[in-house]
Amino acid sequence: MVTAPMLALAFWRNAAGAAALLPVLLTRERSTLTGLRGRDLRSSVVAGLFLAAHFAAWLPSLSMTTVAASVALVTTTPIWTALAARVSGVRLPAAVWWGLLIAFAGVVLIVGVDVTVSLEALAGDALALLGAICAGGYVLAGARARRRLATSAYAVVCYSVCAVVIAVAALLVDAPLGGFEARDWWLIAGITVSAQLFGHTLLNLVLSSVGPTVVSLAILLEVPGALLFALVLLGQVPPLLALPGVALVVVGVALVVRASRPQTLVEAGT
């Protein structure tokens, strides 16, 4: 496991992600910068702020509650984007409301189990849900930004803003951003390549072509993956009563995503 502070992990994956994509922006996609104005970057900046808030809330939750509960709760992002769409005037199909109820039941079950575990686990659940809400803001702002910007331009601005905000936060709480062991640096590099470049960036790239439905359903695969990771590498077995809650969250979110119209995310971001 990475022993570096969570803020350092979030900072370096975003800073390195922006640095890796900058040459692509300045060479292959440089023509996309022609005619861009400051206001065209506004949504990318907002997305970066939401992304920083997502990391600041979710990453600490991983050490406060079980990995399975944290990942299941943070993947409720489509729930919050659907609710944002409804608030903005988008009519939601009946299946979306059924999905919301099923996912909510799963959240209640997970939280109910963690109430009996410890207050720290309950606080971890709350942070994971807050991380999901912030990720919803990140997705909505990103969908709007991708109307005008190439993936590299959007990602460079978004990741850079996120890295700067996290660096300021680390300075305020006196969290180190360096001085780690070589093993930690290698793990941070691995997480940057896998989660940031082949995760966030690839999803942003395909968002405009395959649509948010396919992308969001793919993200749900993180839940069984996290369960295996926690079991095999950490030896962490979640409470048996929490597993039905995790399953309900996955089923509910999948139902919401499949029933939502492809344009819902963009509509909610306008």
Side-chain angles (χ1 to χ4, degrees), residues 80-259:
W80 307 108
T81 55
L83 291 176
R86 182 65 190 91
V87 171
S88 68
V90 177
R91 293 178 61 85
L92 301 178
V96 170
W97 291 108
W98 280 111
L100 290 172
L101 288 175
I102 293 172
F104 179 74
V107 170
V108 170
L109 187 53
I110 292 173
V111 171
V113 170
D114 279 350
V115 167
T116 65
V117 174
S118 68
L119 290 177
E120 182 182 47
L122 184 61
D125 292 343
L127 285 175
L129 283 174
L130 178 59
I133 294 172
C134 293
Y138 161 64
V139 169
L140 293 173
R144 187 171 185 179
R146 288 286 283 111
R147 292 176 179 178
R148 302 179 179 90
L149 301 177
T151 300
S152 61
Y154 161 66
V156 167
V157 174
C158 176
Y159 297 167
S160 297
V161 169
C162 180
V164 169
V165 171
I166 291 174
V168 173
L171 181 63
L172 292 176
V173 301
D174 197 27
L177 295 179
F180 311 125
E181 297 180 358
R183 176 176 175 272
D184 284 337
W185 286 115
W186 280 111
L187 288 173
I188 288 174
I191 290 172
T192 298
V193 172
S194 60
Q196 198 72 17
L197 296 180
F198 289 110
H200 282 260
T201 304
L202 187 59
L203 292 180
N204 285 322
L205 177 63
V206 302
L207 181 61
S208 59
S209 57
V210 303
T213 299
V214 176
V215 169
S216 297
L217 283 175
I219 291 174
L220 285 179
L221 295 176
E222 290 183 1
V223 178
L227 283 169
L228 290 175
F229 173 83
L231 182 62
V232 176
L233 296 182
L234 303 181
Q236 184 185 93
V237 180
L240 291 179
L241 289 178
L243 294 180
V246 171
L248 285 174
V249 168
V250 173
V251 170
V253 172
L255 187 58
V256 169
V257 171
R258 286 184 61 84

Side-chain angles (χ1 to χ4, degrees), residues 5 7 10 24 30-32 37 43 54 62 74 103 137 142 145 166 180 188 192 199 201 209-210 213 227 265 270:
L7 284 178
V24 177
R30 185 173 182 176
S31 60
T32 63
R37 292 170 292 182
S43 294
H54 161 72
L62 289 167
V74 84
I166 291 174
F180 311 125
I188 288 174
T192 298
T201 304
S209 57
V210 303
T213 299
L227 283 169
L265 288 180
T270 57

